Amino acid sequence: MILIAYMTHHVVYVVGHMNPDTDSVCSAIVFAHLLNEWRKKDGLIKLDKEAVPAIQGEPNPETKFVLEKFGFDVPEILDDAEGKTLALVDFSDKSQAPKNIDKAEIVAIVDHHKIGDITTPNPILFVNLPVGCTGTVLKLLFDWTGVEITKELAGLMLASILSDTVIFKSATTTELDKKVAEELAKIAGIEDITKFGIDVKSKLSDVSGLSAREIITRDFKDFDMGGKKVGIGQIELIDLNLIKDRIDEIYEEMKKMKEEGGYAGIFLMLTDIMKEGTELLVITDYPQVVEIAFGKKLEGKSVWLEGVMSRKKQVVPPLQKAFEQV
Amino acid sequence: MILIAYMTHHVVYVVGHMNPDTDSVCSAIVFAHLLNEWRKKDGLIKLDKEAVPAIQGEPNPETKFVLEKFGFDVPEILDDAEGKTLALVDFSDKSQAPKNIDKAEIVAIVDHHKIGDITTPNPILFVNLPVGCTGTVLKLLFDWTGVEITKELAGLMLASILSDTVIFKSATTTELDKKVAEELAKIAGIEDITKFGIDVKSKLSDVSGLSAREIITRDFKDFDMGGKKVGIGQIELIDLNLIKDRIDEIYEEMKKMKEEGGYAGIFLMLTDIMKEGTELLVITDYPQVVEIAFGKKLEGKSVWLEGVMSRKKQVVPPLQKAFEQV
C-alpha cells in the first residue's frame, strides 16, 4: 500500500471529463503518449514523471469498440484527484473534474471547449482551439513538435473526430477537423472515412440491451427554464427505425419520470445522424412551447425537427425562451 | 460620435495587461498582425473583424525605445472593455484586465503565465506555454501557421524575450526562449543578441530624470506578511553604479514612505542585471528578518544578495516566512 501511494506521486494522470465519451478517453491515451515522447526529447513542456491515461467512469460501447479496434486497454479509473498530478483533456471546468481537483497539481490542458474556471498557481501548457474535437488539437501538437503518429494513435484521433463531429455533421465541425481527419485516415490506413464513422457511431445506436429508462437518461440534463424544471435527453442513432418499436414504452417511462421528478416537461431528442434531424419526444404541461420554440405544432407524442442535431445550440436556447413566455 | 461607436464594434482590440511592459505591448502589435494575416487565409481562428493593438496605459521608456527602433506607433489606449471584442496577450487574470472585462467578448488569449480566472461562453483559441515570454509563444504560432515574420515583427518579439527573461538570466528562461530568440535575431538582422539586450534593458536603467519616490514606486507592491504591512519595490539596472550617488536620498524617501504608510518594513531591490544579484535596501522595525530570510546579517542600510533577481520567486517567499516568525 505504501509502495502504491508512493508510486502515484511519480506519474501524471491524463484524464478527460466526467461521463467519458470517445474523445475524452482517446485523447487521454494520445496525450499521455505525446507527453512521454516529450520526456525523451525537447518538448513544449518537460515532465519529470511518466504520463498515464485515466478515465472518470466506464467507457461507453462506442469508446470500447474504438479501443478494441486499435488495440488499447481501457484506462484506469481516477475519481479522486487529491494529491495527484494531472493533465486534463477535453475540459477545463471544475464541475467536470474528479473530486478534490483543487488539491491536485495541474500541469497541462488540451481542449476545444469554452474556457472553464480551472486556474493554476504556475505557468502550464494550455492549448485550446475552437475546433470540433480535442483529437484535432492533439494532431496539431504532434505536427508542431515533430513527434511521430503511430497507426494506432491515428486511429484513436480519427475516431474521436468522427464521434465528436457526428461524421462532420455537427455545427461545431471546422475545415481543420476535416483536413486533419483525412491526414489521420491515411496514417491509420482507413480508406472510407464515412463508412468508418458510421461503424463508430452505430455502436451507440444499438439500444436493444437498454431499458427505456437507460435510453432516456444515457445523456440527460436538467435545466431551469423560466423557473420551471425541464429535462432534455438526447440519443444519436444511425437510423430511427432502430428505436421505432420502443417509442410507446419510452414515452410511458418519460411520463413516470415527469411525475417522479416534478418536471414541467421532459424532452427526448431522437437524433437521426444520417437524415440530419431530430424526432423530439415531448411530455409537458405546456405543449405550446413546441410551437413557440420550433414553429411546429405538437400533434401526438413528437415532432420532427429537420436539421436539428445539437441540444446545446438548437434545442436549449429556443426552449428556454419559450418556457419564459408561458 | 455615433459613427465611432459603431466602428469600434468592427474591430478586435488586442491588449496586454495593466502597467504595460515591453512584452505586453509588443505582443499586442505582433498578435494583431497575425490575426489579420489569418483573416486572409485559413487560420486557427477566423475573425470577421480587423485586429487592432491596444495598450492599458503609457508605455515605459524601454518599450518606447523598442517601438521607435522598429518603426511602430504607440498603440491606442483602451481602458474600458464594455461592449468591445478583445484578444488578450500576456495575461489571463481579470485583475489585470481593462475595467468591465465581464461585459466584453474575448476571442483569443496568448500567454505564458499561470492560468487566470477569465472564462468564456464559447470555444476560443487559448495558447499558453510555460516559457519566458509571450513573444516566444507568438513566434511558435507564426511557425505553426506559416505566416511570414517580417524583420520589424521579429525585432519586437526578440526585444520582448530579452526584456522578459532579463537577457536569458531570469529563472523563467527556457531553452525554447533562447532558440526562438536566435531565429528571430537572424530575421531581424541583429548580430549580437546580448548587446541588443543590454541596449533594451538599459532604457529602464536611466533613472536620472526620476525623483527618489518615483524610483522606489516604479515597480512596488504591498504584501501582508504575518499580519504586518510590508512593501517591496524593485528596479533592474545594467550597473548599480548608475544609482550609487542617490542611495542616501532614496533611503530617506523610504523612511518617509514607511512612516506615512504604516509599514513594518520597506524593501527596495536594486537588481544588477549584469552581475546577477541584488543590493537590498532595507528599512524595517524587524531587522532580524534579513538574516532569517537570507542568512546574511543586515549591517547598515543594505545587504548584497548574490544570484537574487526575482522578487516573486526569491524575495517574497523567504521574507513572508521570516515576518511570520518575528
Side-chain angles (χ1 to χ4, degrees):
Chain A
M1 278 298 280
I2 290 165
L3 180 66
I4 292 168
Y6 176 75
M7 282 173 67
T8 59
H9 288 85
H10 283 67
V11 300
V12 176
Y13 290 100
V14 186
V15 67
H17 54 73
M18 277 181 180
N19 303 320
D21 60 5
T22 296
D23 188 25
S24 64
V25 179
C26 292
S27 288
I29 295 171
V30 172
F31 192 38
H33 177 92
L34 183 59
L35 287 169
N36 288 329
E37 288 301 309
W38 282 347
R39 295 181 73 208
K40 298 179 199 160
K41 54 181 199 167
D42 284 346
L44 295 174
I45 51 173
K46 186 95 179 160
L47 296 181
D48 55 355
K49 298 170 182 176
E50 192 193 344
V52 173
I55 185 171
Q56 287 196 59
E58 281 301 310
N60 68 36
E62 178 190 293
T63 308
K64 278 184 188 159
F65 163 76
V66 172
L67 294 181
E68 267 170 39
K69 182 172 173 72
F70 296 106
F72 291 92
D73 293 331
V74 174
E76 61 180 290
I77 297 273
L78 178 88
D79 54 11
D80 190 341
E82 184 166 355
K84 299 197 173 73
T85 304
L86 302 186
L88 312 181
V89 288
D90 209 30
F91 77 104
S92 67
D93 260 302
K94 287 181 188 177
S95 66
Q96 299 188 69
K99 68 181 172 195
N100 290 316
I101 188 70
D102 286 329
K103 294 174 187 165
E105 182 193 15
I106 295 165
V107 295
I109 305 175
V110 179
D111 191 14
H112 71 115
H113 292 95
K114 65 195 180 69
I115 306 304
D117 57 359
I118 285 175
T119 60
T120 65
N122 295 306
I124 66 164
L125 174 140
F126 188 160
V127 179
N128 192 93
L129 298 179
V131 294
C133 177
T134 297
T136 303
V137 183
L138 286 170
K139 165 65 164 62
L140 296 179
L141 283 178
F142 275 89
D143 292 348
W144 293 343
T145 57
V147 174
E148 192 199 351
I149 301 175
T150 66
K151 192 173 171 175
E152 294 74 23
L153 292 172
L156 292 189
M157 286 186 267
L158 176 61
S160 298
I161 295 171
L162 293 168
S163 168
D164 252 28
T165 66
V166 192
I167 320 174
F168 310 130
K169 285 175 180 170
S170 156
T172 58
T173 313
T174 67
E175 287 307 310
L176 202 56
D177 297 302
K178 292 180 195 169
K179 182 171 161 274
V180 162
E182 276 169 30
E183 291 166 11
L184 290 169
K186 266 181 206 148
I187 301 169
I190 287 167
E191 283 181 21
D192 189 334
I193 294 180
T194 304
K195 188 179 165 300
F196 176 59
I198 293 171
D199 276 357
V200 170
K201 293 301 290 189
S202 67
K203 302 306 169 208
L204 284 182
S205 294
D206 180 8
V207 293
S208 54
L210 300 180
S211 71
R213 179 71 63 118
E214 284 169 337
I215 291 171
I216 301 164
T217 57
R218 189 161 72 183
D219 179 8
F220 189 85
K221 287 180 183 166
D222 286 348
F223 299 87
D224 177 345
M225 295 188 169
K228 301 168 192 83
K229 184 180 173 190
V230 175
I232 310 178
Q234 181 174 26
I235 195 145
E236 292 174 340
L237 299 166
I238 287 290
D239 183 345
L240 288 197
N241 285 320
L242 288 163
I243 208 165
K244 206 173 151 192
D245 295 343
R246 302 193 59 188
I247 295 292
D248 289 344
E249 180 199 347
I250 289 169
Y251 195 74
E252 288 309 309
E253 195 64 33
M254 285 169 62
K255 271 191 193 165
K256 268 194 218 162
M257 282 179 66
K258 180 174 173 299
E259 296 313 314
E260 286 170 22
Y263 287 94
I266 289 191
F267 299 78
L268 181 63
M269 298 172 65
L270 306 173
T271 300
D272 191 313
I273 298 170
M274 301 315 290
K275 290 210 186 82
E276 299 187 36
T278 288
E279 190 74 31
L280 187 69
L281 273 172
V282 181
I283 170 89
T284 176
D285 303 332
Y286 307 88
Q288 68 271 37
V289 294
V290 175
E291 189 167 4
I292 299 171
F294 306 108
K296 280 182 91 169
K297 203 159 182 163
L298 180 68
E299 283 168 5
K301 295 173 186 157
S302 66
V303 62
W304 172 255
L305 302 176
E306 185 72 27
V308 168
M309 299 185 76
S310 165
R311 175 171 53 194
K312 190 175 70 177
K313 289 196 168 184
Q314 296 170 297
V315 172
V316 172
L319 270 186
Q320 182 95 38
K321 277 192 191 165
F323 269 104
E324 282 163 6
Q325 289 174 39
V326 296
Chain B
M1 279 299 279
I2 291 165
L3 180 64
I4 293 167
Y6 177 75
M7 281 173 67
T8 58
H9 287 86
H10 283 67
V11 300
V12 176
Y13 290 100
V14 185
V15 68
H17 54 74
M18 278 181 180
N19 303 319
D21 60 5
T22 296
D23 187 25
S24 65
V25 178
C26 293
S27 287
I29 295 170
V30 172
F31 192 39
H33 177 91
L34 183 60
L35 287 169
N36 288 329
E37 288 301 308
W38 282 347
R39 295 181 72 208
K40 296 179 200 159
K41 53 181 199 168
D42 283 346
L44 296 175
I45 51 173
K46 186 95 181 159
L47 295 181
D48 56 355
K49 299 169 180 175
E50 193 194 343
V52 174
I55 187 172
Q56 286 196 61
E58 281 301 310
N60 67 36
E62 178 190 293
T63 308
K64 278 183 189 158
F65 162 76
V66 172
L67 294 181
E68 265 170 41
K69 180 172 175 71
F70 297 106
F72 291 92
D73 292 331
V74 173
E76 61 180 292
I77 296 272
L78 178 88
D79 55 12
D80 190 341
E82 184 167 357
K84 298 196 173 72
T85 303
L86 302 186
L88 312 181
V89 287
D90 209 29
F91 77 103
S92 66
D93 260 301
K94 288 181 187 176
S95 65
Q96 299 188 68
K99 67 181 174 195
N100 290 317
I101 189 69
D102 286 329
K103 295 174 187 165
E105 182 193 14
I106 296 166
V107 296
I109 305 175
V110 179
D111 191 14
H112 71 116
H113 292 95
K114 65 196 178 72
I115 306 304
D117 57 359
I118 285 175
T119 60
T120 65
N122 295 308
I124 66 165
L125 175 140
F126 188 161
V127 179
N128 192 92
L129 298 179
V131 294
C133 176
T134 298
T136 303
V137 183
L138 286 170
K139 165 66 164 62
L140 295 180
L141 282 178
F142 275 90
D143 292 348
W144 293 343
T145 56
V147 174
E148 193 200 350
I149 301 174
T150 66
K151 192 174 172 173
E152 293 75 22
L153 292 172
L156 292 189
M157 286 186 269
L158 176 60
S160 298
I161 294 172
L162 293 168
S163 168
D164 253 26
T165 65
V166 191
I167 320 175
F168 310 130
K169 286 175 180 171
S170 157
T172 58
T173 312
T174 67
E175 288 306 310
L176 202 57
D177 297 302
K178 292 181 195 170
K179 183 172 162 271
V180 162
E182 275 169 30
E183 291 166 11
L184 290 169
K186 267 182 205 149
I187 301 170
I190 287 166
E191 281 179 24
D192 189 334
I193 294 180
T194 304
K195 190 180 165 298
F196 176 58
I198 293 170
D199 276 359
V200 170
K201 293 300 290 188
S202 66
K203 302 307 168 206
L204 284 182
S205 294
D206 180 8
V207 293
S208 55
L210 300 180
S211 70
R213 179 71 64 119
E214 284 168 337
I215 291 170
I216 301 164
T217 58
R218 189 161 72 182
D219 179 6
F220 189 85
K221 287 178 183 167
D222 285 348
F223 299 87
D224 177 344
M225 294 187 171
K228 302 167 193 81
K229 185 179 173 189
V230 175
I232 311 177
Q234 182 175 25
I235 194 145
E236 291 173 341
L237 298 166
I238 287 291
D239 183 345
L240 288 197
N241 284 320
L242 288 162
I243 209 165
K244 205 174 154 193
D245 296 342
R246 302 192 61 188
I247 295 293
D248 289 344
E249 180 198 348
I250 289 169
Y251 196 74
E252 288 308 310
E253 194 64 31
M254 283 168 63
K255 271 191 193 165
K256 268 193 218 161
M257 282 179 66
K258 179 174 174 299
E259 296 313 315
E260 286 170 22
Y263 287 94
I266 287 190
F267 299 77
L268 181 62
M269 298 172 65
L270 306 173
T271 300
D272 191 313
I273 297 171
M274 301 315 290
K275 290 210 186 82
E276 300 188 36
T278 288
E279 190 74 32
L280 188 68
L281 272 172
V282 180
I283 169 90
T284 175
D285 302 332
Y286 307 87
Q288 68 270 38
V289 293
V290 174
E291 190 167 2
I292 299 171
F294 305 109
K296 281 182 91 170
K297 203 160 183 163
L298 180 68
E299 282 167 8
K301 294 171 186 159
S302 66
V303 61
W304 171 254
L305 302 176
E306 184 73 26
V308 168
M309 299 186 76
S310 165
R311 173 171 53 194
K312 188 175 72 176
K313 290 196 168 187
Q314 295 170 296
V315 173
V316 171
L319 270 186
Q320 182 94 38
K321 278 192 190 166
F323 268 105
E324 282 163 6
Q325 290 174 37
V326 296

